[in-house]
């Protein structure tokens, strides 16, 4: 668990009054009880963390200049010594204060993708490990790939051939940030594993139109389907011109050879700000994290909704009607 901000001080009412976090915590979960068994400082405001496929190395992205990447070994249920390494990039001219909001391990465990939200690019790095499992070096792998505006998150397909970036298409006005309606999905075809020099060339076979306020995405385990949760105007204040009562979920089908995404449909969802997505092992069940529901006054204001992927005929999504009720604020969903 990454701690972006520390606990709210008494009397604090603004985001800039929250102390910056710097910690990753390891929890043991038994039933509904969670016990902290280790913690370690990794740098200022970790924005995203991801455990490698082997389960023995965490990578995190922080806001610290010239040491943005943090690597935390995990051995026998304990954290090892942290390695801090910079991205090795020239300063950006982008107006977003964050350099990166997302990173992801390649299925091989050899590479890491880093979404560079401030410069509208995705970078790939090779992670070289020593015999004892520590990180010996981080090497840029191939070219920086240009995306559309503000690539907040991304996902590798299970075969490791493609990386899809969800570009949120933010704008800015005198009041701050605002979201334009259309999101964009940028598909990247990766260079072959082990390629070096001019052969390590990543390309973009497709740029697809996403949903309104599309942000979180998830691949099915076989890489056939990509789901996207679209916030639409559900987070806007009542009376806003772009307020909407419902959010939506989109389903795309990936061509395994070309990486092109074909949209199979979009379905409304009653929840506000659905931001967590995960398929089960079969790829036929989709779990959707819902921040909250409107007009409900209950302690368990959020939920994980269970939807089905139907593949007879044209692929579709269907709401099963099942809900796992949780406190409001559900943001991330992970399955095993």
């Amino acid at each position: 668990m990454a701690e972006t901000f520390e606990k709210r001080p008494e009397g604090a009412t603004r985001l800039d009054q929250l102390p910056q976090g710097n910690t990753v915590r390891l929890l043991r979960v038994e039933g509904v009880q969670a016990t902290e068994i280790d913690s370690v400082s990794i740098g200022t405001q970790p924005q995203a963390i991801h455990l490698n496929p082997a389960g023995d190395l965490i990578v995190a992205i922080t806001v610290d200049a010239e040491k943005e990447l943090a690597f935390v070994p995990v051995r026998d249920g304990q954290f090892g010594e942290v390695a801090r390494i910079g991205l090795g990039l020239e300063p950006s001219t982008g107006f977003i204060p964050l350099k990166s909001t997302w990173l992801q391990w390649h299925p091989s465990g050899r590479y890491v993708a880093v979404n560079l939200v401030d410069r509208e690019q995705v970078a790939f790095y090779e992670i070289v490990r020593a015999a004892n499992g520590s990180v010996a070096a981080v090497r840029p792998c191939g070219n920086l790939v240009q995306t559309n505006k503000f690539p907040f998150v991304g996902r590798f397909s299970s075969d490791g051939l493609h990386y899809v970036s969800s570009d949120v298409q933010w704008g800015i006005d005198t009041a701050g940030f605002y979201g334009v309606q259309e999101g964009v999905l940028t598909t990247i075809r990766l260079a072959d594993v082990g390629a070096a020099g001019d052969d390590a060339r990543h390309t973009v076979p497709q740029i697809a139109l996403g949903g309104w306020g599309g942000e979180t995405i998830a691949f099915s385990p076989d890489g056939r389907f990509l789901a996207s949760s679209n916030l639409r105007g559900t987070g806007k204040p009542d009376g806003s011109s772009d307020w909407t009562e419902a959010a939506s979920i989109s389903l795309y089908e990936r061509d395994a050879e070309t990486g092109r995404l074909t949209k199979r449909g979009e379905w409304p969802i009653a929840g506000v700000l659905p931001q967590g997505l995960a398929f089960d092992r079969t790829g036929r069940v989709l779990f959707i994290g819902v921040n909250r529901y409107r007009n409900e006054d209950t302690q368990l204001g959020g939920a994980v909704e269970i939807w089905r992927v139907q593949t007879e005929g044209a692929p579709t999504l269907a709401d099963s009607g099942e809900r796992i009720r949780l406190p409001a604020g559900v943001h991330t969903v992970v399955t095993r």
Side-chain angles (χ1 to χ4, degrees), residues 253-322:
E253 192 167 8
R254 179 187 69 117
D255 184 299
E257 183 175 346
T258 67
R260 294 185 66 84
L261 299 172
T262 300
K263 188 174 182 179
R264 295 305 185 190
E266 184 173 343
W267 296 265
I269 182 170
V272 175
L273 300 177
Q275 290 178 286
L277 282 179
F279 286 88
D280 77 339
R281 290 183 179 182
T282 70
R284 298 298 176 261
V285 175
L286 180 64
F287 298 98
I288 303 171
V290 174
N291 185 303
R292 63 182 176 87
Y293 294 97
R294 297 191 193 280
N295 304 317
E296 281 195 355
D297 184 15
T298 174
Q299 183 177 1
L300 296 179
V304 172
E305 297 193 2
I306 300 175
W307 288 53
R308 309 289 181 186
V309 183
Q310 299 177 345
T311 57
E312 294 183 6
T316 61
L317 288 176
D319 185 358
S320 72
E322 300 175 66

Side-chain angles (χ1 to χ4, degrees), residues 195-210:
D198 292 341
D199 292 331
R201 186 75 186 171
H202 315 298
T203 59
V204 177
Q206 184 192 32
I207 297 174
L209 189 64

Side-chain angles (χ1 to χ4, degrees), residues 130-147:
N132 65 359
S134 63
V135 174
V138 174
R139 300 171 181 162
C141 176
N143 52 301
L144 294 171
V145 180
Q146 197 69 34
T147 67

Side-chain angles (χ1 to χ4, degrees), residues 178-246:
Y178 65 91
V180 296
Q181 292 193 3
E182 295 84 5
V184 172
L185 298 171
T186 302
T187 299
I188 300 169
R189 174 60 163 91
L190 291 119
D192 294 336
V193 171
D198 292 341
D199 292 331
R201 186 75 186 171
H202 315 298
T203 59
V204 177
Q206 184 192 32
I207 297 174
L209 189 64
W212 175 3
E215 183 174 317
T216 308
I217 56 176
F219 267 113
S220 61
D222 61 3
R224 177 182 174 184
F225 295 112
L226 179 80
S228 169
S229 61
N230 311 312
L231 310 182
R232 299 180 64 83
T234 56
K236 299 293 183 178
D238 291 349
S240 173
S241 60
D242 52 0
W243 178 93
T244 63
E245 183 172 0

Side-chain angles (χ1 to χ4, degrees), residues 45-272:
Q45 284 195 304
Q47 298 295 304
I49 61 174
H50 195 213
L51 182 66
N52 70 338
D56 64 354
L57 185 64
I58 293 171
V59 63
I61 190 79
T62 74
V63 301
D64 293 326
E66 299 182 6
K67 46 185 177 180
E68 297 90 352
L69 292 174
F71 294 91
V72 186
V74 183
R75 303 187 186 99
D76 301 321
Q78 298 290 316
F79 290 141
E81 184 177 353
V82 179
R84 305 286 309 280
I85 300 174
L87 293 172
L89 298 171
E90 295 294 327
S92 167
T93 58
F95 64 82
I96 284 188
L98 295 175
K99 182 172 290 185
S100 175
T101 55
W102 188 262
L103 44 63
Q104 192 84 14
W105 283 101
H106 186 268
S108 68
R110 183 170 175 175
Y111 305 101
V112 168
V114 180
N115 283 40
L116 302 171
V117 68
D118 65 335
R119 63 191 71 205
E120 299 161 10
Q121 293 176 325
V122 176
F124 298 91
Y125 295 88
E126 182 179 12
I127 312 305
V128 181
R129 304 184 68 178
N132 65 359
S134 63
V135 174
V138 174
R139 300 171 181 162
C141 176
N143 52 301
L144 294 171
V145 180
Q146 197 69 34
T147 67
N148 278 267
K149 286 186 176 181
F150 315 128
F152 266 65
V153 301
R155 295 286 186 183
F156 282 106
S157 57
S158 56
D159 55 18
L161 296 178
H162 301 105
Y163 184 79
V164 176
S165 170
S166 179
D167 312 332
V168 185
Q169 299 299 94
W170 290 99
I172 191 168
D173 60 13
T174 55
F177 294 107
Y178 65 91
V180 296
Q181 292 193 3
E182 295 84 5
V184 172
L185 298 171
T186 302
T187 299
I188 300 169
R189 174 60 163 91
L190 291 119
D192 294 336
V193 171
D198 292 341
D199 292 331
R201 186 75 186 171
H202 315 298
T203 59
V204 177
Q206 184 192 32
I207 297 174
L209 189 64
W212 175 3
E215 183 174 317
T216 308
I217 56 176
F219 267 113
S220 61
D222 61 3
R224 177 182 174 184
F225 295 112
L226 179 80
S228 169
S229 61
N230 311 312
L231 310 182
R232 299 180 64 83
T234 56
K236 299 293 183 178
D238 291 349
S240 173
S241 60
D242 52 0
W243 178 93
T244 63
E245 183 172 0
S248 68
I249 302 295
S250 299
L251 184 68
Y252 300 82
E253 192 167 8
R254 179 187 69 117
D255 184 299
E257 183 175 346
T258 67
R260 294 185 66 84
L261 299 172
T262 300
K263 188 174 182 179
R264 295 305 185 190
E266 184 173 343
W267 296 265
I269 182 170
V272 175

